[in-house]
Amino acid sequence: MVVFECVACGAALTVPLTQVDGPDHEVVHQWGNGIRYMPSLVPAGTYAGRDRIVIAPGDVRGVSWIEDRLVGYCCGIDGHEGPNLACACGRPVATRVDDCSLWQVVRFEPDAVRPIGVPDPVREWESFDWDTTPLTDADEWWQARAEISAAVAIIRVLTAAGGAPVTVPDGPLADTFRREFDAQRLSGPALSLGLAGPGTTEEADILLVPRHPQTGDAWPAQGSVVPISAELWVWLARTDEQPVRPRTGGQWAPHLSDDPLPRRPRTVEPCLWAVRRWLP
Ligand SMILES: [Zn+2]
């Protein structure tokens, strides 16, 4: 594990943390329209970082508010005025976001922190569960994450296709992607889309492969690959019914009327707002 410390004074600014793949759902800053409190962008005890290190708000240490930047709309802080957390040495180091409809996060400024300690060993691909889509009340946000990941996948597949039409086989790939690919109304020789990853190797022009849940590295495969989130990949690749894990109360939102419970989430509707935002 590593602790992130202030580059200016060396103070520890986090608890010990483990790396996870950078979440796709970060690209959709706002989910829904107010009222609803969102979960943390990354799980407690973890960090991820592309341009900036992000952690769960509860994992930050040794900081204080920058009081003239605690702005939001109704339920919390949206962070739009820049860093609102300062190290004890006075340096602004991070922005906390916790307003409703926003993924809760502490996002460190670039170059404000550095990792200290020994990173966890990189786990073998086989050590992760590549067969089960979690269906638990404790993870009611799976659907939102998957829908955003599907939108990100659409953008990346269309980019990889370079203007060619994309065809998909029937099943979860078609249910998730075909409508949006067909809506592009592209002409010319089509490229096929398939899946490759742990236990799965399909023949296709473009392969959706999982990202390593810890490092974000793409599953090694030959040819044109589009790395996607591991949890979306598992849902696309494993169509068998899956065990329903014990629930702790309530009902999983997309299936409020289902009895008995579904054995896997039936559909993933790509977050079209995200698709429209990034498509030319
Ligand atoms: Zn400091």
Side-chain angles (χ1 to χ4, degrees), residues 6 8-11 87-89 91:
C6 173
C9 72
C87 176
C89 72
R91 176 173 176 143

Side-chain angles (χ1 to χ4, degrees), residues 5-9 11-14 60-70 82-96 106-109 112-113:
E5 69 172 24
C6 173
V7 298
C9 72
L13 298 182
T14 70
V60 73
R61 295 291 184 273
V63 295
S64 57
W65 297 114
I66 301 174
E67 296 200 356
D68 61 352
R69 294 184 180 172
L70 304 183
N84 54 32
L85 295 173
C87 176
C89 72
R91 176 173 176 143
V93 289
T95 304
R96 173 169 170 152
V106 165
R107 184 174 286 111
F108 283 107
E109 287 295 288
V113 293

Side-chain angles (χ1 to χ4, degrees), residues 2 37 41 49 56 65 89 121 128 130 157 183 190 192 201 209 213 224 239 267:
V2 301
Y37 281 110
L41 179 69
W65 297 114
C89 72
F128 298 98
W130 294 103
V157 168
S192 59
T201 304
V209 300
S224 178
T239 56
T267 59

Side-chain angles (χ1 to χ4, degrees), residues 10-254:
L13 298 182
T14 70
V15 299
L17 300 170
T18 298
Q19 183 183 7
V20 292
D21 177 30
D24 284 338
H25 48 285
E26 187 174 20
V27 302
V28 175
H29 182 62
Q30 179 174 340
W31 188 260
N33 184 25
I35 299 174
R36 192 165 192 184
Y37 281 110
M38 302 283 285
S40 176
L41 179 69
V42 294
T46 70
Y47 73 95
R50 293 188 176 106
D51 300 330
R52 301 176 184 220
I53 298 297
V54 293
I55 67 171
D59 288 339
V60 73
R61 295 291 184 273
V63 295
S64 57
W65 297 114
I66 301 174
E67 296 200 356
D68 61 352
R69 294 184 180 172
L70 304 183
V71 290
Y73 287 102
C74 55
C75 301
I77 301 164
D78 67 12
H80 80 267
E81 291 199 348
N84 54 32
L85 295 173
C87 176
C89 72
R91 176 173 176 143
V93 289
T95 304
R96 173 169 170 152
V97 174
D98 58 17
D99 207 350
C100 52
S101 283
L102 306 179
W103 303 100
Q104 300 202 15
V105 67
V106 165
R107 184 174 286 111
F108 283 107
E109 287 295 288
D111 305 323
V113 293
R114 60 183 167 231
I116 299 297
V118 180
D120 293 343
V122 176
R123 289 173 56 179
E124 299 291 334
W125 286 90
E126 296 73 20
S127 70
F128 298 98
D129 179 359
W130 294 103
D131 295 319
T132 309
T133 299
L135 274 177
T136 73
D137 286 341
D139 199 4
E140 64 175 311
W141 292 92
W142 181 92
Q143 195 83 26
R145 296 196 306 271
E147 290 173 5
I148 297 169
S149 288
V152 172
I154 287 171
I155 305 300
R156 292 178 178 163
V157 168
L158 290 173
T159 300
V166 179
T167 60
V168 290
D170 290 340
L173 282 178
D175 297 343
T176 307
F177 299 122
R178 181 178 285 160
R179 183 174 59 186
E180 200 59 35
F181 291 154
D182 289 351
Q184 303 304 309
R185 302 185 181 280
L186 300 170
S187 59
L191 300 178
S192 59
L193 184 68
L195 293 160
T200 299
T201 304
E202 296 179 356
E203 295 287 332
D205 298 311
I206 300 172
L207 292 169
L208 294 176
V209 300
R211 297 195 304 264
H212 191 283
Q214 182 183 7
T215 66
D217 292 340
W219 170 262
Q222 299 290 327
S224 178
V225 300
V226 172
I228 63 174
S229 77
E231 61 183 357
L232 176 62
W233 187 91
V234 169
W235 183 80
L236 292 168
R238 305 289 186 257
T239 56
D240 293 340
E241 290 196 342
Q242 299 169 3
V244 174
R245 295 179 181 175
R247 307 178 72 82
T248 57
Q251 177 61 289
W252 198 54

